[in-house]
Amino acid sequence: MRKKMIIKIISWIIFIGLVIALIVGAINIYMVTTTSKRIISVDDAKDINADCIIVLGAGVKPSGKPSWMLEDRIIVGEQLYNVNAAPKLLMSGDHGRENYDEVNTMKNYAINDGIPSEDIFMDHAGFETYDSMYRAKKIFGAKKVVIVSQKYHLYRSLYIAKKMGLDAYGVSSDLRYYSKKQYYREAREWLARVKSFIKCIAKPEPKYLGDSIDLKASGDVTKKLLDLPPFCAR
């Protein structure tokens, strides 16, 4: 009897594991196939007349310099700005700690490359992709956007954007080989897509919202955001 019970438990574990794997696989396939046609090139984005180019945050080195992935996102964001894909850049990333600041790193990099400060907005509370898309719609009032990130991340970004009511296109920023860790990032993305799929059904508010910000104004208004902790303002 004990042996039969063990076999039964193992069988149920295997069955549940297969069901979960099928669900994860189905969600990933659905998310990729329904967004892939929205991924375009920089040339295709020329004069697309979007409200803004959303450059999604990534790691910043201890020195304060952007990681390779983040640097490539900024570079492609600048390319899109220079071909008139949109008149404004929205740097959306993590500035939730005093000693970690993605958005000012991104803005300063773009300014050094000649992008006018007033055309660069910062979303200090883009702690995850869902927050970035939610806030782009609700806080910044965007309707049509071009999203910049590495291709493996664009599928999820575009899916969330669509569920937030944004007319979104994505441009890949894969400009180089990053590291062996990229395989880990892409594997982790499978689970992140499932999480985002569920969040897009529930549509919870991000941790921070705040007052509306007009994308037609100067991006310098985002140097200080009253709805965030003091250290998020520069």
Side-chain angles (χ1 to χ4, degrees):
M1 289 294 292
R2 185 178 180 183
K3 186 177 180 180
K4 288 182 179 180
M5 182 62 71
I6 292 172
I7 292 173
K8 189 174 182 179
I9 291 171
I10 292 173
S11 298
W12 271 106
I13 291 172
I14 293 172
F15 174 75
I16 293 170
L18 287 172
V19 170
I20 292 172
L22 284 171
I23 292 172
V24 171
I27 289 174
N28 273 267
I29 291 170
Y30 174 72
M31 197 171 287
V32 170
T33 55
T34 56
T35 59
S36 58
K37 290 183 179 180
R38 284 272 170 165
I39 298 176
I40 60 178
S41 68
V42 172
D43 288 338
D44 290 336
K46 183 179 180 181
D47 298 319
I48 201 170
N49 198 29
D51 298 315
C52 66
I53 299 154
I54 302 176
V55 182
L56 296 173
V60 173
K61 298 176 182 178
S63 63
K65 293 183 179 180
S67 62
W68 285 355
M69 292 184 76
L70 182 56
E71 183 176 36
D72 289 349
R73 293 180 189 185
I74 302 167
I75 290 170
V76 172
E78 293 172 353
Q79 292 173 353
L80 287 164
Y81 175 88
N82 289 327
V83 298
N84 298 314
K88 304 291 183 178
L89 285 160
L90 175 56
M91 307 301 198
S92 184
D94 184 352
H95 188 194
R97 288 167 282 164
E98 187 173 6
N99 60 348
Y100 186 78
D101 182 356
E102 293 178 357
V103 292
N104 276 285
T105 298
M106 297 158 75
K107 177 162 184 168
N108 290 336
Y109 189 104
I111 289 172
N112 288 337
D113 283 346
I115 308 296
S117 176
E118 59 268 23
D119 287 345
I120 307 171
F121 288 76
M122 293 183 289
D123 180 3
H124 301 258
F127 300 127
E128 58 177 276
T129 310
Y130 178 87
D131 294 355
S132 294
M133 298 306 146
Y134 195 112
R135 287 174 57 82
K137 175 74 173 181
K138 298 296 183 180
I139 300 299
F140 293 91
K143 295 179 180 178
K144 186 175 184 180
V145 300
V146 182
I147 304 167
V148 180
S149 187
Q150 277 68 32
K151 190 173 183 179
Y152 80 96
H153 183 218
L154 277 178
Y155 303 114
R156 179 160 58 100
S157 305
L158 288 166
Y159 180 82
I160 297 170
K162 180 181 178 181
K163 292 301 177 180
M164 292 297 110
L166 292 166
D167 181 11
Y169 293 87
V171 176
S172 171
S173 58
D174 290 297
L175 301 183
R176 67 184 103 185
Y177 172 77
Y178 298 107
S179 71
K180 293 180 180 178
K181 290 183 179 180
Q182 187 60 24
Y183 297 107
Y184 167 73
R185 293 189 188 100
E186 295 189 18
R188 188 179 61 180
E189 184 68 11
W190 277 61
L191 296 178
R193 288 172 188 154
V194 175
K195 178 184 175 183
S196 294
F197 182 84
I198 295 170
K199 289 190 79 169
C200 285
I201 295 173
K203 291 189 177 177
E205 288 189 353
K207 185 175 181 181
Y208 296 108
L209 279 175
D211 297 330
S212 297
I213 298 170
D214 188 357
L215 284 170
K216 294 180 181 179
S218 170
D220 290 335
V221 300
T222 56
K223 287 183 177 179
K224 185 176 182 180
L225 297 180
L226 299 178
D227 63 323
L228 299 179
F231 57 77
C232 289
R234 286 288 180 89

